[in-house]
Amino acid sequence: MSQNLLEIQNLHKRFGQLEVLKGIDLTMRQGDVVSLIGSSGSGKTTLLRCVNLLEEYEEGVVAVEGEQIGYKQKGGKRVRLSEKEIARQRAMTGMAFQHFNLFPHMTAVRNVMLGLIKTRGMDKDEAHSIAEKWLERVGMLQRKDHFPGQLSGGQQQRVAIARAIAMNPKLMLFDEVTSALDPELVNEVLAVVLDLAKDGMTMLLVTHEMQFAHDVSNRVIFMQDGRIGEEGPPKELFKKPKSERLAAFLKSSKF
Amino acid sequence: MDYDFNFAAVWRDFDLLLSGLGLGILLALISIAIGCLIGLLAAFGMLSKRRAIRWISLSYVSAIRNTPILILILFTFFALPQLGIRLGKIESFIVTLSVYAGAYLTEVFRAGLVALPKGLREAGLTIGLTEFRTKLLITIPVMLRNVLPSLSNNFISLFKDTSLAAAIAVPELTFYARKINVETFRVIETWLVASLMYVVTCYVIAAVLRQVETRLAIPR
Ligand SMILES: Nc1ncnc2c1ncn2[C@@H]1O[C@H](COP(=O)(O)OP(=O)(O)OP(=O)(O)O)[C@@H](O)[C@H]1O
Ligand SMILES: [Mg+2]
């Protein structure tokens, strides 16, 4: 396991009766950029959320750096980890959401500093300088004292990405980070993600932007009814889809 | 109408009225502070996954909201000592008003918590905060700011309710007004002055709280 940064084996997830993930296997190495594509309801978001235990999973293993997320085996039984352990594990990954989810009562720079202080245990000065560094990286330094409500969607999303990245996660999870944005704001956010990818950040992202998935990833996974329908390097997957379903999906998403 | 207005008697004891007013404000402040704590706990209780906890919170809220506050005041002051719980009249009234405020604030906070986008909590969790710290640092502060206007209204109501403390002889404004009334027979003057003092105070409190609201509001 030591080689793989993320290792998912036979992951199953149910919402009540509905089985949403039906046995997912996925591994990622350091520096991998993997895009999840697929039609609505195919389980992309759920898969992402199992990686940081925003969703509990019933069966299978999700492991980051060889450490199972959320549960441990004890006497042959699966036991949920303590609240503290789970919080520590969650901070191994970072996540950016479709709706940004910035803390509305804090300025941009405070948003970024909070985790650094409370989770990483930094003092205020250190947290502040790291927060400023990342805000500069996403082009938001001039707006650092603005509140989220005073920023455009694209600006909020860039702050949200800075908030996640500043924590120095081993793996970044992006869930349709441009879907809630006006068309003219999409590119400024995609540029930031691309920049991070070029820098070697390991990331798993869900996107409906096929061109972007093509450009940014070294592997693309097509999700289909809770399973991995097809996967491969973007050039192959987009140019020569093997299945009818993927071909139809790509056609409908105007790639 | 040939009523002879004579405020002299009231002015003579005006300092008593003022001290009564001060005590009323103090009682309201203490009670809303304690009431906020109770209300927060009960609001989370109402949203708990555990049925028993939901039931306890709901019972508390409905029991208190469906009982007249005067009954609550008298019950705490006269009945609790029978059960061996002995409190001074001021302490007794603070207990009553806090428990009363808590029941109303529970509803305010519950609605405020439900209205928060669920991504807020999740964003806290993803940066490695525990559920407890997420509540403390994110969901509760945001919710409190959002419900500030209802909190202000509740505070003004509570302040007016302090006048009921006269029923157990807590020396607040109404208590002194009644005393002056009995001693001087200047009925109209006494109650007119007392009423005006309530009106002006409520007005000032409202103005101050509006300032606080704008200062604490989440900027947009
Ligand atoms: N909290 C939940 N409770 C019940 N069902 C859920 C819940 N979250 C998701 N689902 C269901 O699980 C399935 C997969 O949802 P998911 O959000 O993972 O899909 P997705 O691939 O991300 O879709 P989209 O492209 O629309 O975002 C859907 O059928 C959805 O209705
Ligand atoms: Mg989704």
Side-chain angles (χ1 to χ4, degrees):
Chain A
M1 296 258 277
S2 64
Q3 294 262 1
N4 292 325
L5 189 65
L6 173 68
E7 175 122 19
I8 299 178
Q9 288 169 358
N10 190 33
L11 174 65
H12 287 259
K13 164 74 190 167
R14 277 179 206 86
F15 288 111
Q17 298 285 35
L18 182 72
E19 187 167 34
V20 175
L21 297 178
K22 303 171 183 168
I24 302 285
D25 294 290
L26 168 64
T27 57
M28 287 177 68
R29 287 168 184 252
Q30 175 93 37
D32 276 355
V33 177
V34 175
S35 291
L36 297 169
I37 61 170
S39 49
S40 186
S42 56
K44 308 179 296 292
T45 296
T46 307
L47 173 55
L48 217 59
R49 289 164 59 89
C50 285
V51 175
N52 59 8
L53 213 71
L54 286 184
E55 301 291 355
E56 315 260 326
Y57 54 95
E58 290 88 37
E59 208 186 314
V61 174
V62 175
V64 175
E65 284 202 323
E67 187 179 334
Q68 178 169 7
I69 300 296
Y71 308 91
K72 65 182 172 203
Q73 307 300 327
K74 200 172 166 191
K77 275 211 288 203
R78 202 175 81 141
V79 192
R80 199 175 193 272
L81 293 175
S82 72
E83 182 69 25
K84 250 191 154 152
E85 277 291 292
I86 289 173
R88 181 186 60 76
Q89 289 186 332
R90 283 202 177 106
M92 293 166 78
T93 57
M95 186 175 221
F97 302 84
Q98 184 172 354
H99 296 287
F100 334 131
N101 297 343
L102 287 176
F103 310 132
H105 59 313
M106 296 180 187
T107 58
V109 71
R110 292 252 155 214
N111 263 272
V112 183
M113 286 167 67
L114 186 69
L116 298 176
I117 295 171
K118 299 294 174 185
T119 305
R120 296 287 185 238
M122 293 180 189
D123 62 40
K124 272 205 169 128
D125 292 339
E126 190 183 6
H128 192 265
S129 76
I130 290 180
E132 284 196 330
K133 183 186 96 182
W134 283 104
L135 285 173
E136 179 162 31
R137 178 77 181 268
V138 300
M140 286 300 297
L141 190 56
Q142 305 89 316
R143 301 283 165 104
K144 75 186 177 82
D145 294 321
H146 286 54
F147 286 85
Q150 302 167 328
L151 299 172
S152 75
Q155 293 171 333
Q156 288 187 56
Q157 191 60 290
R158 286 186 278 149
V159 173
I161 292 171
R163 175 178 70 183
I165 299 277
M167 297 285 293
N168 194 21
K170 318 231 178 269
L171 167 69
M172 264 303 292
L173 308 167
F174 293 90
D175 189 8
E176 292 193 36
V177 288
T178 58
S179 293
L181 297 177
D182 293 334
E184 70 270 20
L185 301 178
V186 167
N187 281 332
E188 66 184 52
V189 172
L190 292 185
V192 165
V193 180
L194 198 60
D195 176 51
L196 294 169
K198 282 197 181 124
D199 214 32
M201 183 89 226
T202 314
M203 28 204 223
L204 178 59
L205 43 99
V206 175
T207 184
H208 284 297
E209 305 276 340
M210 293 304 139
Q211 184 63 53
F212 179 68
H214 178 275
D215 296 345
V216 76
S217 19
N218 47 30
R219 189 149 38 111
V220 175
I221 292 178
F222 175 56
M223 293 278 295
Q224 187 180 322
D225 303 328
R227 293 198 172 82
I228 293 183
E230 208 170 322
E231 67 179 304
K235 288 201 175 56
E236 285 174 26
L237 199 101
F238 286 116
K239 297 268 158 53
K240 289 173 277 181
K242 293 196 193 81
S243 67
E244 288 289 314
R245 288 281 293 268
L246 177 54
F249 173 76
L250 291 175
K251 208 163 190 181
S252 72
S253 38
K254 298 188 207 100
F255 177 66
Chain B
M1 207 178 85
D2 49 351
Y3 185 87
D4 228 354
F5 280 98
N6 180 355
F7 285 95
V10 183
W11 294 145
R12 202 168 45 237
D13 285 332
F14 192 63
D15 53 340
L16 283 182
L17 293 179
L18 273 183
S19 81
L21 179 67
L23 180 62
I25 294 173
L26 189 66
L27 291 172
L29 279 173
I30 296 174
S31 302
I32 196 138
I34 303 174
C36 277
L37 289 177
I38 300 175
L40 266 178
L41 283 177
F44 281 112
M46 297 265 258
L47 301 172
S48 167
K49 280 189 220 116
R50 292 203 208 134
R51 218 172 130 158
I53 296 181
R54 285 203 306 273
W55 188 84
I56 292 170
S57 307
L58 189 64
S59 309
Y60 156 63
V61 171
S62 7
I64 299 298
R65 299 211 334 176
N66 292 314
T67 312
I69 180 168
L70 187 55
I71 300 287
L72 294 174
I73 294 165
L74 298 175
F75 182 87
T76 315
F77 188 60
F78 292 112
L80 286 190
Q82 307 281 321
L83 303 171
I85 305 170
R86 225 161 275 283
L87 294 173
K89 51 195 176 194
I90 292 185
E91 291 83 350
S92 164
F93 183 73
I94 288 175
V95 168
T96 312
L97 202 60
S98 303
V99 168
Y100 177 79
Y104 282 85
L105 293 176
T106 300
E107 258 317 301
V108 172
F109 293 159
R110 191 198 60 80
L113 288 171
V114 169
L116 292 177
K118 78 175 171 67
L120 210 52
R121 167 181 159 266
E122 294 181 347
L125 297 180
T126 56
I127 59 168
L129 301 179
T130 56
E131 294 275 3
F132 180 71
R133 279 183 144 188
T134 302
K135 284 192 177 80
L136 205 66
L137 297 167
I138 298 161
T139 41
I140 294 176
V142 173
M143 180 277 287
L144 283 179
R145 283 166 158 90
N146 289 343
V147 302
L148 223 48
S150 357
L151 215 52
S152 301
N153 288 339
N154 271 280
F155 180 72
I156 290 174
S157 293
L158 276 189
F159 166 67
K160 285 189 293 180
D161 291 339
T162 58
S163 111
L164 290 164
I168 54 171
V170 171
E172 47 64 68
L173 177 49
T174 304
F175 172 86
Y176 281 125
R178 199 164 57 175
K179 184 167 181 284
I180 295 167
N181 175 39
V182 169
E183 286 168 2
T184 67
F185 301 107
R186 304 311 314 186
V187 182
I188 297 185
E189 291 86 341
T190 313
W191 293 113
L192 198 62
V193 169
S195 306
L196 275 174
M197 288 173 77
Y198 277 112
V199 170
V200 170
T201 308
C202 285
Y203 187 84
V204 172
I205 292 176
V208 169
L209 288 180
R210 262 198 305 279
Q211 290 298 312
V212 175
E213 278 168 35
T214 28
R215 188 155 310 168
L216 290 182
I218 292 170
R220 359 200 135 252

